[in-house]
Amino acid sequence: MIDSSEKVQVIDSHTAGEPTRVVLDGTLKLGSGTMVELRDRFQENGDWLRSSLLSEPRGFEAMVGALLCESLDSRCEAGVVFFNNAGVLKGCLHGTMGLIKTLEFMGRISFGEHFIETPVGVIKADLRSDGSVQVTNVPSYRYLSNVELNIEGYDNVIGDVAWGGNWFFLVESGGPEISHLNIGELSSFSVAVMNELESSSITGKDGTKIDHVEIFGPSEDPIIADSKNFVMCPGGEYDRSPCGTGTSAKLACLYDSGKLKVGQKWKQAGVLGTVFEGEIIQEDRGNIVPLVSGQAWVNGKYELIVDPSDPFCYGFK
Ligand code: PYC
């Protein structure tokens, strides 16, 4: 909470339709440290900023925030802590693509490879001359396969649990039709899946909560994409993009079931029809290293004012 008005500089972008709001200034005095330490300090002291920036009337629930930090790792151009309407996020590839385009917009980087420190590891991002961003994600893997869930009103709901920088339940059969005209049903089905995972104690490794649900359906055009998805994020909002960490989890499942090999490409469309291209570049004892590329655009640069006399200064749900 704050005692007097704060001005917060942000740059907005969207990646394949999914927004990212990069917070530029040192409004929060988090000091220096690893991104894990800064994430923990942000969680303790920065929740007012998180909710102010991402909730109405200043933001909206689908927005992802990216706190731009200095990294102590000399390889890294910057560090980042991602957050959304529910709290801090583990990994976020659409956000990484947005951050790279933002750093280019700020004149800090140009074409080529850059390293970014995140709380889940160091990520390599290549800003390519066609304007796209290709991100080498953290090692990803399938943890559980063919898990059957009991979801009222649906038959044969079967999926996998996989890590791609976040924990995902990937619904491979029995889910609703993937269409932007069907967001309501896709959302309520995803919430039912999350609840069922929790009540059946189905988790990621070490008991970690699965906080993303990804539902798959056929691609409308096999030349444009291999598959179409809908991704529900923690906080109950859906990803407007095909979700980079979700695409990484999908690549891990395809690899583990022998359907995709190192070097083969996979084009994943999201619910709006925008596409991320994925590829496995390496494998090591069941873990794969995913490469995911997509397009992001900077679409705003603002100074936001957070005034404690405003009854909605921290936003409302
Ligand atoms: O692209 O990895 C991603 C992501 C995670 C949550 C929203 N987008």
Side-chain angles (χ1 to χ4, degrees), residues 231-253:
V231 179
M232 174 59 79
C233 300
E237 267 302 324
Y238 74 95
D239 195 331
R240 275 64 172 162
S241 84
C243 190
T245 49
T247 300
S248 303
K250 175 70 175 174
L251 295 177
C253 295

CSV table of all heavy atoms in Angstrom, one decimal, residues 231-253:
chain,number,residue,atom,x,y,z
A,231,VAL,N,-6.1,-22.0,-23.7
A,231,VAL,CA,-5.3,-22.1,-22.5
A,231,VAL,C,-5.9,-21.2,-21.4
A,231,VAL,O,-6.1,-20.0,-21.6
A,231,VAL,CB,-3.8,-21.7,-22.7
A,231,VAL,CG1,-3.0,-21.8,-21.5
A,231,VAL,CG2,-3.2,-22.6,-23.8
A,232,MET,N,-6.2,-21.9,-20.3
A,232,MET,CA,-6.7,-21.1,-19.1
A,232,MET,C,-5.6,-20.9,-18.2
A,232,MET,O,-4.9,-21.8,-17.8
A,232,MET,CB,-7.8,-22.0,-18.5
A,232,MET,CG,-8.4,-21.4,-17.2
A,232,MET,SD,-9.1,-19.7,-17.4
A,232,MET,CE,-10.7,-20.1,-18.1
A,233,CYS,N,-5.4,-19.6,-17.8
A,233,CYS,CA,-4.3,-19.3,-16.9
A,233,CYS,C,-4.8,-19.2,-15.4
A,233,CYS,O,-6.0,-19.0,-15.2
A,233,CYS,CB,-3.7,-17.9,-17.3
A,233,CYS,SG,-3.1,-17.9,-19.0
A,234,PRO,N,-3.9,-19.2,-14.4
A,234,PRO,CA,-4.3,-19.0,-13.1
A,234,PRO,C,-5.0,-17.6,-13.0
A,234,PRO,O,-4.5,-16.6,-13.6
A,234,PRO,CB,-3.0,-19.0,-12.3
A,234,PRO,CG,-1.9,-18.9,-13.2
A,234,PRO,CD,-2.4,-19.3,-14.6
A,235,GLY,N,-6.1,-17.5,-12.3
A,235,GLY,CA,-6.8,-16.2,-12.2
A,235,GLY,C,-8.0,-16.2,-13.1
A,235,GLY,O,-8.8,-15.3,-13.1
A,236,GLY,N,-8.2,-17.3,-13.9
A,236,GLY,CA,-9.5,-17.5,-14.6
A,236,GLY,C,-9.6,-16.8,-15.9
A,236,GLY,O,-10.7,-16.7,-16.4
A,237,GLU,N,-8.5,-16.3,-16.4
A,237,GLU,CA,-8.5,-15.6,-17.7
A,237,GLU,C,-7.8,-16.5,-18.7
A,237,GLU,O,-6.9,-17.2,-18.4
A,237,GLU,CB,-7.8,-14.3,-17.7
A,237,GLU,CG,-8.8,-13.1,-17.4
A,237,GLU,CD,-9.9,-12.9,-18.4
A,237,GLU,OE1,-9.7,-13.2,-19.6
A,237,GLU,OE2,-11.0,-12.6,-17.9
A,238,TYR,N,-8.3,-16.5,-20.0
A,238,TYR,CA,-7.7,-17.3,-21.0
A,238,TYR,C,-6.6,-16.6,-21.7
A,238,TYR,O,-6.6,-15.3,-21.9
A,238,TYR,CB,-8.8,-17.9,-21.9
A,238,TYR,CG,-9.3,-16.9,-22.9
A,238,TYR,CD1,-8.8,-16.8,-24.2
A,238,TYR,CD2,-10.4,-16.0,-22.6
A,238,TYR,CE1,-9.3,-15.8,-25.1
A,238,TYR,CE2,-10.9,-15.1,-23.5
A,238,TYR,CZ,-10.3,-15.0,-24.8
A,238,TYR,OH,-10.8,-14.1,-25.6
A,239,ASP,N,-5.6,-17.3,-22.2
A,239,ASP,CA,-4.5,-16.8,-23.0
A,239,ASP,C,-5.0,-16.5,-24.4
A,239,ASP,O,-5.5,-17.4,-25.1
A,239,ASP,CB,-3.4,-17.8,-23.0
A,239,ASP,CG,-2.0,-17.2,-23.4
A,239,ASP,OD1,-2.1,-16.2,-24.2
A,239,ASP,OD2,-1.0,-17.6,-23.0
A,240,ARG,N,-4.8,-15.2,-24.8
A,240,ARG,CA,-5.2,-14.9,-26.2
A,240,ARG,C,-4.3,-15.4,-27.2
A,240,ARG,O,-4.6,-15.5,-28.4
A,240,ARG,CB,-5.3,-13.4,-26.3
A,240,ARG,CG,-6.6,-12.7,-25.9
A,240,ARG,CD,-6.9,-12.8,-24.4
A,240,ARG,NE,-8.1,-12.1,-24.0
A,240,ARG,CZ,-8.8,-12.2,-22.9
A,240,ARG,NH1,-8.5,-13.2,-22.1
A,240,ARG,NH2,-9.8,-11.5,-22.6
A,241,SER,N,-3.0,-15.8,-26.8
A,241,SER,CA,-2.0,-16.3,-27.7
A,241,SER,C,-2.0,-17.8,-27.5
A,241,SER,O,-2.7,-18.4,-26.7
A,241,SER,CB,-0.6,-15.8,-27.3
A,241,SER,OG,-0.1,-16.5,-26.2
A,242,PRO,N,-1.2,-18.6,-28.3
A,242,PRO,CA,-1.2,-20.0,-28.2
A,242,PRO,C,-0.4,-20.5,-26.9
A,242,PRO,O,-0.3,-21.7,-26.7
A,242,PRO,CB,-0.5,-20.5,-29.4
A,242,PRO,CG,-0.5,-19.3,-30.4
A,242,PRO,CD,-0.5,-18.1,-29.5
A,243,CYS,N,0.1,-19.5,-26.2
A,243,CYS,CA,0.8,-19.8,-24.9
A,243,CYS,C,2.2,-20.5,-25.2
A,243,CYS,O,2.2,-21.7,-25.5
A,243,CYS,CB,0.0,-20.6,-23.9
A,243,CYS,SG,0.7,-20.7,-22.3
A,244,GLY,N,3.3,-19.8,-24.9
A,244,GLY,CA,4.6,-20.3,-25.2
A,244,GLY,C,5.0,-21.5,-24.3
A,244,GLY,O,5.5,-22.5,-24.7
A,245,THR,N,4.7,-21.3,-23.0
A,245,THR,CA,5.0,-22.4,-22.0
A,245,THR,C,4.1,-23.6,-22.3
A,245,THR,O,4.5,-24.7,-22.2
A,245,THR,CB,4.9,-21.9,-20.6
A,245,THR,OG1,3.7,-21.2,-20.3
A,245,THR,CG2,6.1,-21.0,-20.2
A,246,GLY,N,2.9,-23.3,-22.7
A,246,GLY,CA,1.9,-24.4,-23.0
A,246,GLY,C,2.4,-25.1,-24.3
A,246,GLY,O,2.3,-26.3,-24.4
A,247,THR,N,2.9,-24.4,-25.3
A,247,THR,CA,3.4,-25.0,-26.5
A,247,THR,C,4.6,-25.9,-26.1
A,247,THR,O,4.8,-27.0,-26.7
A,247,THR,CB,3.8,-23.9,-27.5
A,247,THR,OG1,2.6,-23.2,-27.8
A,247,THR,CG2,4.4,-24.5,-28.8
A,248,SER,N,5.5,-25.4,-25.2
A,248,SER,CA,6.6,-26.2,-24.8
A,248,SER,C,6.2,-27.5,-24.1
A,248,SER,O,6.7,-28.6,-24.4
A,248,SER,CB,7.5,-25.4,-23.8
A,248,SER,OG,7.9,-24.2,-24.3
A,249,ALA,N,5.1,-27.4,-23.3
A,249,ALA,CA,4.6,-28.6,-22.6
A,249,ALA,C,4.1,-29.6,-23.6
A,249,ALA,O,4.2,-30.8,-23.6
A,249,ALA,CB,3.5,-28.2,-21.6
A,250,LYS,N,3.4,-29.0,-24.7
A,250,LYS,CA,2.9,-29.8,-25.8
A,250,LYS,C,4.0,-30.6,-26.5
A,250,LYS,O,3.9,-31.8,-26.8
A,250,LYS,CB,2.0,-29.0,-26.7
A,250,LYS,CG,1.5,-29.7,-27.9
A,250,LYS,CD,0.4,-30.6,-27.6
A,250,LYS,CE,-0.2,-31.3,-28.8
A,250,LYS,NZ,-1.2,-32.3,-28.5
A,251,LEU,N,5.1,-29.8,-26.8
A,251,LEU,CA,6.2,-30.4,-27.5
A,251,LEU,C,6.8,-31.6,-26.7
A,251,LEU,O,7.1,-32.7,-27.2
A,251,LEU,CB,7.3,-29.4,-27.7
A,251,LEU,CG,7.0,-28.2,-28.7
A,251,LEU,CD1,8.2,-27.3,-28.7
A,251,LEU,CD2,6.7,-28.7,-30.1
A,252,ALA,N,6.8,-31.4,-25.3
A,252,ALA,CA,7.4,-32.4,-24.5
A,252,ALA,C,6.5,-33.7,-24.5
A,252,ALA,O,7.0,-34.8,-24.6
A,252,ALA,CB,7.4,-31.9,-23.0
A,253,CYS,N,5.1,-33.5,-24.6
A,253,CYS,CA,4.2,-34.7,-24.6
A,253,CYS,C,4.3,-35.3,-26.0
A,253,CYS,O,4.3,-36.6,-26.1
A,253,CYS,CB,2.8,-34.2,-24.4
A,253,CYS,SG,2.5,-33.6,-22.8
